[in-house]
Amino acid sequence: NQASLLEQAEAAGLKPEHGCRQGICTQCTCQLLEGAVRDLRSGEISYEPGQSIRICVSAPLGDVRVDL
């Protein structure tokens, strides 16, 4: 089970905004700047720069940059 971007950010000492940790409340929504992420719920891949993602349910596929 791959760690979400939220879990990885917290492990690195960051404190991004979040709420439910289930992708429902949208408080953790950020912009994907670079790279690709997989939605841990649906398996859907997002890779468009500027796309909104929820970091609590998104896992990076390689290196990514997000606008926290």
Side-chain angles (χ1 to χ4, degrees), residues 2-66:
Q2 192 173 7
S4 71
L5 287 168
L6 174 59
E7 292 165 333
Q8 291 183 36
E10 289 174 331
L14 301 174
K15 298 186 181 337
E17 257 189 71
H18 67 279
C20 70
R21 293 184 178 269
Q22 297 172 13
I24 298 167
C25 76
T26 72
Q27 286 188 34
C28 72
T29 300
C30 294
Q31 261 193 2
L32 179 64
L33 300 175
E34 190 174 291
V37 297
R38 180 173 48 85
D39 187 307
L40 295 169
R41 301 163 302 170
S42 67
E44 184 180 337
I45 308 285
S46 299
Y47 52 85
E48 291 288 326
Q51 189 168 10
S52 290
I53 60 167
R54 295 180 185 151
I55 61 170
C56 74
V57 292
S58 296
L61 298 174
D63 291 339
V64 298
R65 243 176 13 110
V66 295

